[in-house]
Amino acid sequence: MDIKSTKNYLYWLFCQFELITCSYLMEPWEKVLFYTFNTTVLAMVAYTAYIFFPVHISTAFQFSPCPQHSSSVYRVTAQLCSHPH
Amino acid sequence: MERPERAATALGAQPRANGCSGATHGGLRNGYVRGLPAPDAQINHIVHNGGLYKRPFNEAFEETPMLVAVLTYVGYGVLTLFGYLRDFMRQWKIEKCQNAIEREEQKDFVPLYQDFENFYTRNLYMRIRDTWNRPICSVPGAKVDMMERVSHDYNWTFTYTGRVIKGVINMGSYNYLGFAQNDGTCQKAAAKVLSQYGAGVCSSRQEMGNLDKHEELEKLVARFLGVESAMAYGMGFATNSMNIPALVGKGCLILSDELNHASLVLGARLSGAAIRIFKHNNMQSLEKLLKDAIVHGQPRTRRPWKKILILVEGIYSMEGSIVRLPEVIALKKKYKSYLYLDEAHSIGALGPTGRGVVEYFGLNPEDVDVMMGTFTKSFGAAGGYIGGKKELIDYLRTHSHSAVYATSLSPPVVEQIITSMKCIMGEDGTTFGESLQSALVLTSKLQLPSKMGAFGREMLKRNIGVVVVGFPATPIIESRARFCLSAAHTKEMLDTALKEINEVGDLLQLKYSRHRLVPLLDRPFDETTYEETED
């Protein structure tokens, strides 16, 4: 069954993660702490990437090879800094 | 201190052109070729060594992949962080402190438990402690019975459930030739001696503890090794640590291999001699140290060293490598130093008739000044011996700490050694000695700290007992699992074990090797001991 083997494979992957980060050896409350910390950090990184990714990409494309007026640089940096976050 | 020198100089007194005696079988004119290749070329090939090796001596050790090394550090990093957290909680009484700490009155003294080893013990060793010190309740043969134990507070304390796990395949005992039995000729002979002499000797060798059994054993050991005389001691570790101080002292130099056993290191440190370490099995490093020692002498006074002693082992159990004995002997003769060979794992196991690494390379036992070994591994008993020239052994009989202070060997144990040695030599009428299967010690690198614990537990779940080794016996990022095969294992047991190891290896992703097939050495399987690092 495909679902079963996928589930087994995912469980095996989770076991490898546990072994590599040594959470296999931790007591349950330590595991909770560790996973909470990790998921929080990952969530924050994901959110930051989601917010800033389009702005950074558009900024990158604005600096194309043809020379730009210097004020546009200021405009873009002002845009970045004042972005509500 | 004078006698061993005289004995050894008498040995090497005939000067030869290239400083070596052509003492190998078949009159092979080998010798240490002066134009040895550059240090960066570790050449094992027969041609370059001028015919020192009778057959190609190849040892292949694979390096660990970079990813695994990085992940090992990641694992240790996480554990260290949690270790600090737990220490903090213990200090501020948030958590009950179950390890040893100083008393209140001693808090202002020099701290006892703040170093890294204690930190490691508290925070890592305790988590996987259940894979070590597992109590067994039967003879450690091919299969062993283990007492089951559980821990309710994460390995700080253990309770026995009362159940016994029967028939665990034993891959951890040094039972290389299968002499650890509770029935058979050895056991009958030992039982007879037990009823005759009792179990205790109640004295040291020099006082009233010298039995005729000990004399018989020593003559037999000397005959077995092909040396003039031998002396037996009650404990293998004590043989090294108590006899090296008797041989060397202040003003002498010890050149010790990087991976020498703790007993050799302890003996070297206790002696008070200067110690220099050469890289593991690296003859260029050893030669460089020897040259420096001869040219520069002692550090400040520039006087020549009184004695230079090279400490090597026959087989290094953690690494699985065999010492390059022909080259070491050639170097020793060239630079007029002495050789101390510790054959703890190789005696009984290497060589066509089990006489050890000297026979394996076809060399003359007289070339090795001090031949040391233990009876623990291949003979199924306990204790150690030292063999060499008669003057050396007579000197040790009076000057060794172990002879003067330690209780001598127990008579049934002596009888076990005598019977098993006669068995190996083929003198008891059986053909056991000829059909000796080799012993094999295989180490497999686990690297990650959590895999150490996981491997031990998973193997026990599948009814196989293995030994996993970590810091401080090995470098901190290189933890290993060690499998000791013995002659007592049947093919079915080995097949089962291999199947389970394969399964656990897949489960835990232990197969780091990039080779398709493990590179096998070109020696026949049932002749010698060989080592390889696989998976």
Side-chain angles (χ1 to χ4, degrees):
Chain A
M1 294 239 293
D2 210 32
I3 303 289
K4 191 129 190 348
S5 66
T6 324
K7 265 174 46 180
N8 279 346
Y9 180 66
L10 284 175
Y11 180 66
W12 178 83
L13 266 186
F14 175 67
C15 283
Q16 296 307 306
F17 167 77
E18 268 203 331
L19 280 174
I20 289 172
T21 54
C22 295
S23 48
Y24 172 82
L25 302 174
M26 295 180 194
E27 299 171 26
W29 64 270
E30 284 175 336
K31 273 193 205 179
V32 163
L33 199 68
F34 184 62
Y35 293 151
T36 318
F37 176 76
N38 272 3
T39 40
T40 317
V41 165
L42 273 172
M44 288 200 285
V45 165
Y47 180 61
T48 314
Y50 172 71
I51 297 294
F52 277 106
F53 204 57
V55 177
H56 279 158
I57 292 290
S58 61
T59 319
F61 275 123
Q62 278 195 359
F63 290 100
S64 50
C66 49
Q68 280 279 312
H69 198 265
S70 56
S71 65
S72 74
V73 177
Y74 296 125
R75 209 180 331 123
V76 169
T77 37
Q79 186 184 3
L80 273 169
C81 296
S82 69
H83 186 92
H85 182 240
Chain B
M1 295 278 178
E2 301 304 310
R3 297 234 194 114
E5 258 176 328
R6 246 186 282 138
T9 44
L11 168 68
Q14 305 94 5
R16 293 303 201 106
N18 52 8
C20 303
S21 65
T24 53
H25 304 262
L28 204 66
R29 284 279 150 162
N30 54 6
Y32 193 71
V33 178
R34 272 182 192 270
L36 206 65
D40 53 53
Q42 258 296 46
I43 310 275
N44 303 333
H45 203 260
I46 235 179
V47 169
H48 284 83
N49 280 325
L52 277 175
Y53 290 89
K54 291 190 175 43
R55 44 192 164 176
F57 183 70
N58 290 321
E59 284 186 336
F61 294 106
E62 213 181 317
E63 289 232 340
T64 31
M66 173 70 83
L67 176 66
V68 176
V70 167
L71 292 179
T72 314
Y73 282 119
V74 163
Y76 273 115
V78 171
L79 279 173
T80 314
L81 286 174
F82 273 94
Y84 283 135
L85 173 69
R86 298 293 291 271
D87 276 351
F88 175 80
M89 288 168 55
R90 279 187 209 115
Q91 166 127 29
W92 287 95
K93 309 278 191 290
I94 304 173
E95 184 197 351
K96 181 163 117 116
C97 183
Q98 283 162 316
N99 54 287
I101 45 170
E102 297 107 329
R103 286 168 33 223
E104 262 319 305
E105 299 90 343
Q106 293 171 326
K107 277 280 162 51
D108 292 324
F109 289 15
V110 172
L112 290 171
Y113 303 109
Q114 267 186 17
D115 58 347
F116 178 69
E117 281 215 18
N118 281 298
F119 177 83
Y120 178 89
T121 308
R122 279 197 301 270
N123 298 312
L124 178 60
Y125 175 72
M126 281 299 170
R127 292 181 195 268
I128 44 180
R129 197 159 80 112
D130 59 310
T131 51
W132 289 295
N133 299 333
R134 291 190 278 217
I136 61 176
C137 50
S138 77
V139 68
K143 289 202 172 173
V144 71
D145 298 336
M146 264 192 217
M147 297 184 65
E148 199 188 25
R149 53 180 189 169
V150 289
S151 174
H152 298 290
D153 53 357
Y154 301 102
N155 293 345
W156 287 96
T157 57
F158 290 105
T159 47
Y160 295 106
T161 59
R163 208 168 74 89
V164 170
I165 311 174
K166 289 206 177 291
V168 176
I169 298 181
N170 186 2
M171 309 281 282
S173 293
Y174 301 130
N175 184 18
Y176 293 153
L177 299 178
F179 279 114
Q181 307 159 330
N182 52 3
D183 61 1
T185 35
C186 293
Q187 180 265 344
K188 289 194 179 56
K192 188 155 155 294
V193 166
L194 178 64
S195 58
Q196 203 181 338
Y197 287 87
V201 185
C202 306
S203 186
S204 65
R205 274 312 277 283
Q206 278 199 356
E207 294 173 12
M208 286 281 279
N210 194 19
L211 306 175
D212 55 346
K213 279 280 160 209
H214 294 127
E215 304 275 333
E216 187 191 336
L217 171 66
E218 288 173 358
K219 286 199 187 64
L220 183 65
V221 169
R223 206 153 48 85
F224 181 73
L225 296 171
V227 292
E228 280 181 23
S229 177
M231 182 167 178
Y233 303 92
M235 187 176 153
F237 189 100
T239 312
N240 274 332
S241 50
M242 297 291 115
N243 284 304
I244 296 179
L247 294 173
V248 290
K250 257 189 139 110
C252 303
L253 176 65
I254 289 180
L255 297 174
S256 158
D257 190 290
E258 211 178 7
L259 299 180
N260 267 341
H261 189 251
S263 55
L264 290 164
V265 172
L266 184 63
R269 288 184 189 168
L270 279 174
S271 66
I275 306 174
R276 303 217 175 128
I277 317 282
F278 62 92
K279 295 206 188 67
H280 176 58
N281 241 358
N282 188 333
M283 293 301 117
Q284 286 82 11
S285 171
L286 176 60
E287 196 189 3
K288 181 172 181 309
L289 284 179
L290 277 165
K291 273 193 192 151
D292 285 342
I294 305 271
V295 164
H296 294 121
Q298 300 193 27
R300 277 184 300 267
T301 57
R302 298 289 189 218
R303 282 194 218 145
W305 294 102
K306 282 199 213 152
K307 233 180 288 189
I308 303 180
L309 184 67
I310 306 175
L311 295 181
V312 287
E313 287 188 39
I315 291 184
Y316 294 90
S317 64
M318 283 303 158
E319 199 59 30
S321 47
I322 305 179
V323 68
R324 295 174 192 280
L325 197 59
E327 293 176 61
V328 174
I329 288 184
L331 276 174
K332 160 195 108 94
K333 287 178 178 165
K334 179 177 174 185
Y335 293 99
K336 305 275 189 303
S337 52
Y338 302 107
L339 180 60
Y340 185 107
L341 178 65
D342 178 349
E343 289 203 87
H345 287 269
S346 51
I347 191 71
L350 274 186
T353 56
R355 310 289 162 118
V357 70
V358 172
E359 194 196 17
Y360 176 72
F361 286 113
L363 300 166
N364 189 355
E366 290 192 5
D367 287 339
V368 179
D369 303 293
V370 189
M371 288 183 70
M372 179 265 169
T374 59
F375 300 120
T376 326
K377 279 94 184 178
S378 297
F379 300 100
Y385 66 84
I386 286 197
K389 293 270 171 198
K390 188 168 183 312
E391 291 132 320
L392 170 70
I393 302 299
D394 286 345
Y395 174 81
L396 281 177
R397 279 188 214 279
T398 45
H399 286 81
S400 160
H401 299 277
S402 199
V404 177
Y405 298 110
T407 316
S408 30
L409 279 160
S410 176
V413 174
V414 174
E415 186 58 30
Q416 158 83 18
I417 303 169
I418 291 176
T419 321
S420 56
M421 204 174 264
K422 285 194 177 146
C423 218
I424 296 174
M425 288 162 80
E427 285 179 7
D428 62 340
T430 65
T431 53
F432 176 83
E434 280 145 32
S435 62
L436 269 185
Q437 287 294 315
S438 70
L440 273 117
V441 178
L442 298 156
T443 46
S444 159
K445 282 219 185 125
L446 301 175
Q447 312 265 185
L448 272 68
S450 54
K451 290 193 185 176
M452 254 200 287
F455 191 75
R457 289 175 198 158
E458 292 294 321
M459 291 306 282
L460 188 58
K461 270 191 221 158
R462 290 165 173 75
N463 236 23
I464 301 181
V466 293
V467 169
V468 291
V469 200
F471 183 80
T474 62
I476 193 158
I477 57 164
E478 286 181 21
S479 50
R480 294 148 201 261
R482 188 164 70 180
F483 310 102
C484 298
L485 277 72
S486 97
H489 284 130
T490 60
K491 191 166 179 309
E492 294 82 37
M493 281 186 224
L494 293 179
D495 284 338
T496 323
L498 261 177
K499 191 167 77 67
E500 302 295 352
I501 293 170
N502 192 30
E503 201 180 303
V504 175
D506 278 330
L507 181 70
L508 300 179
Q509 271 292 73
L510 291 173
K511 303 197 172 164
Y512 304 131
S513 174
R514 278 173 290 219
H515 294 139
R516 292 264 81 203
L517 265 170
V518 178
L520 278 180
L521 301 173
D522 47 2
R523 279 169 254 157
F525 175 84
D526 55 0
E527 200 187 293
T528 60
T529 305
Y530 71 94
E531 313 273 358
E532 46 183 68
T533 320
E534 59 172 53
D535 281 358

